[in-house]
Amino acid sequence: MIELKQLTKQYGKPGRLTTALSGLDLSIQKGEIFGVIGHSGAGKSTLIRCMNLLERPTSGEVWVNGINLTALGKKQLQNERRKIGMIFQHFNLLSSATVFDNIAFPLRLCNTPKSKVEQKVGELLALVGLEEHRHKYPAQLSGGQKQRVGIARALASDPEVLLCDEATSALDPQTTDSILKLLLDINRRFNLTIVLITHEMHVIQSICDRVAVIHQGGIVEEGPVTEVFLKPRHEVTRDFIRNDQLSDGDPFTTLSGQPNERTVKITFLGAKTYESTLSDVVRETGVTFAILQGTISKIKETPYGQLIVRFEGSPESVNQTVVQLQKQGLDVEVSS
C-alpha cells in the first residue's frame, strides 16, 4: 500500500545541511494500523509529511497504492493527495468556520454538489459523534471534539490512507483513549490504512498492528507490536518501554540471588496469559517460587502477562522448570 524507498530528506544549504531522514525504507500494508514511534527530533513528523509530499524528499521514492508520487506533476499529485487524509496534533481547523463548514471544506474545494455535501457531512458528524455540535465554532469545542472534527474532515474525500501526526499528544489520557477507539472503529469499518506517528508507547500498544522505531532519521527496529514490545532489540525501543511502564526498579536486573535461587522473567501471550501453566509446572518439578513483580495488559486486543519470579530449589530442578515452561510455549528469560 505504502512503499518508501531510500527516502532521504535534508534541509539547509550545501555545506550546512541537516539530514532529517537518511536512506529510509518502509513498507506498510493495506488495511493495517501502522505506528511510527520516536523521540523529538528523530524525524517522524518529516517522515509522515513526506508520505503525501507536503515535504518533498531530497531523494528516494514514495509509492502509494502502486503510484510513485515523487514522479507526478502538480495536477496529478493533487488528485492523488485526495486519497490521503491527514489529521494534526493541533487540529488545524478554520476558526471562523462552523464544525459543519470545517468538515465540508475539502468537498467544496472540489466543487461537490450542495446536496451531496449535506449528506456526506451529516454521515461524518454521526460517525464521530458530533451531530449536536454542527453549528458550533472550534473555540466552543473541547480538544477531543476538535480532533473529532479533524478526523471527519480528513475522511470527507473518502481517502484510502489516513495519516495521523501526533494526533493525541495534545489530549488528556481519557480523551486520547476515546480518539484511539474511534480510529480503530474507522479502520475496521472502512478497511482504511492508518499511519500513526507518536512518541507514546501506550498509543502504539492500544491500536497498532505493526510498529517502526525511528532514531536519527532511520528505522532501527520494525515488526509486529507484540514482538517489538515484548522482545525489544534496540536500546531506544527499550527506553520507550521502560518509560511507559514507569517502573521504580526491575527486580529482574537489580536483585542477585543465592546459589540455589534463580530469577526469571516469564512472558505469557494470548490465551496462555490466563492459564495455570506456572503452578502446574512447579508442582511437577518441585521448586518453590516467589512472584517479585507481575503485570497483565493488552497489546491491541491480545492479552499478555509478564511475571518476574524467583525460583528456589536444586539447580537441576530449577533448570527443568525453565525447560518445561519453554516447552509450554512461554518465553522465559533467565537472569545472569
Side-chain angles (χ1 to χ4, degrees):
M1 180 65 182
I2 301 176
E3 291 279 345
L4 307 181
K5 302 180 180 181
Q6 287 296 293
L7 203 67
T8 296
K9 177 63 180 180
Q10 295 177 317
Y11 298 97
K13 299 178 181 179
R16 299 184 65 184
L17 290 174
T18 298
T19 301
L21 301 174
S22 180
L24 186 146
D25 293 309
L26 194 62
S27 178
I28 299 170
Q29 304 304 312
K30 181 173 177 58
E32 72 176 341
I33 302 180
F34 191 95
V36 179
I37 189 168
H39 292 297
S40 296
K44 57 186 185 295
S45 289
T46 300
L47 171 61
I48 201 169
R49 291 171 68 85
C50 282
M51 288 184 184
N52 59 3
L53 266 63
L54 286 178
E55 295 274 2
R56 182 167 283 274
T58 305
S59 62
E61 297 177 350
V62 178
W63 291 75
V64 178
N65 207 19
I67 297 173
N68 183 3
L69 300 188
T70 45
L72 299 180
K74 186 176 180 180
K75 187 172 183 179
Q76 291 173 303
L77 180 58
Q78 282 182 335
N79 290 334
E80 291 304 317
R81 274 199 184 127
R82 292 194 184 104
K83 303 173 186 177
I84 306 173
M86 190 165 186
I87 59 177
F88 304 88
Q89 176 181 359
H90 297 297
F91 321 124
N92 288 18
L93 302 180
L94 301 170
S95 60
S96 60
T98 64
V99 167
F100 183 97
D101 290 333
N102 265 283
I103 299 171
F105 182 70
L107 295 169
R108 290 168 176 162
L109 275 181
C110 55
N111 299 315
T112 305
K114 184 177 180 181
S115 59
K116 191 170 181 181
V117 170
E118 287 278 347
Q119 178 186 349
K120 185 67 176 180
V121 175
E123 292 171 354
L124 290 169
L125 284 167
L127 176 67
V128 301
L130 292 178
E131 300 102 316
E132 298 177 2
H133 302 279
R134 61 191 290 142
H135 300 303
K136 290 184 179 179
Y137 290 87
Q140 298 171 287
L141 304 177
S142 68
Q145 290 169 337
K146 290 176 184 177
Q147 195 57 284
R148 287 172 181 269
V149 177
I151 292 170
R153 180 184 58 188
L155 296 176
S157 56
D158 296 319
E160 298 172 358
V161 176
L162 181 62
L163 305 180
C164 307
D165 188 5
E166 296 277 12
T168 61
S169 63
L171 306 175
D172 63 76
Q174 185 175 357
T175 306
T176 291
D177 287 342
S178 71
I179 293 297
L180 293 177
K181 287 177 183 176
L182 175 59
L183 291 174
L184 183 59
D185 178 59
I186 289 167
N187 165 258
R188 289 173 171 167
R189 189 176 299 197
F190 304 111
N191 195 33
L192 187 66
T193 304
I194 297 178
V195 183
L196 201 153
I197 297 290
T198 185
H199 63 273
E200 299 172 287
M201 198 69 196
H202 164 72
V203 171
I204 299 293
Q205 184 181 343
S206 296
I207 66 168
C208 292
D209 301 298
R210 291 194 302 133
V211 62
V213 183
I214 188 170
H215 180 61
Q216 295 181 346
I219 302 298
V220 296
E221 189 161 0
E222 178 188 351
V225 176
T226 50
E227 181 179 313
V228 172
F229 186 83
L230 297 177
K231 297 181 180 180
R233 300 187 306 272
H234 197 276
E235 181 56 34
V236 171
T237 314
R238 290 194 287 268
D239 182 52
F240 273 115
I241 292 169
R242 280 194 298 267
N243 290 339
D244 182 67
Q245 292 173 340
L246 297 176
S247 175
D248 293 327
D250 187 348
F252 185 64
T253 58
T254 58
L255 291 183
S256 57
Q258 299 300 316
N260 65 331
E261 297 177 355
R262 187 67 61 85
T263 303
V264 300
K265 181 184 289 185
I266 307 170
T267 300
F268 307 79
L269 189 62
K272 290 184 180 296
T273 304
Y274 304 111
E275 294 175 358
S276 59
T277 308
L278 176 59
S279 60
D280 293 342
V281 169
V282 297
R283 189 181 303 116
E284 180 182 328
T285 60
V287 304
T288 58
F289 71 95
I291 296 176
L292 306 180
Q293 193 177 79
T295 59
I296 292 179
S297 189
K298 285 187 177 182
I299 297 175
K300 200 170 183 181
E301 293 178 330
T302 302
Y304 78 94
Q306 285 189 320
L307 287 179
I308 297 175
V309 177
R310 184 178 63 228
F311 289 136
E312 297 182 16
S314 68
E316 293 78 10
S317 60
V318 170
N319 288 338
Q320 184 185 1
T321 302
V322 170
V323 170
Q324 288 298 324
L325 289 171
Q326 291 171 332
K327 284 183 178 180
Q328 293 296 322
L330 304 183
D331 184 76
V332 183
E333 186 179 352
V334 181
S335 173
S336 55

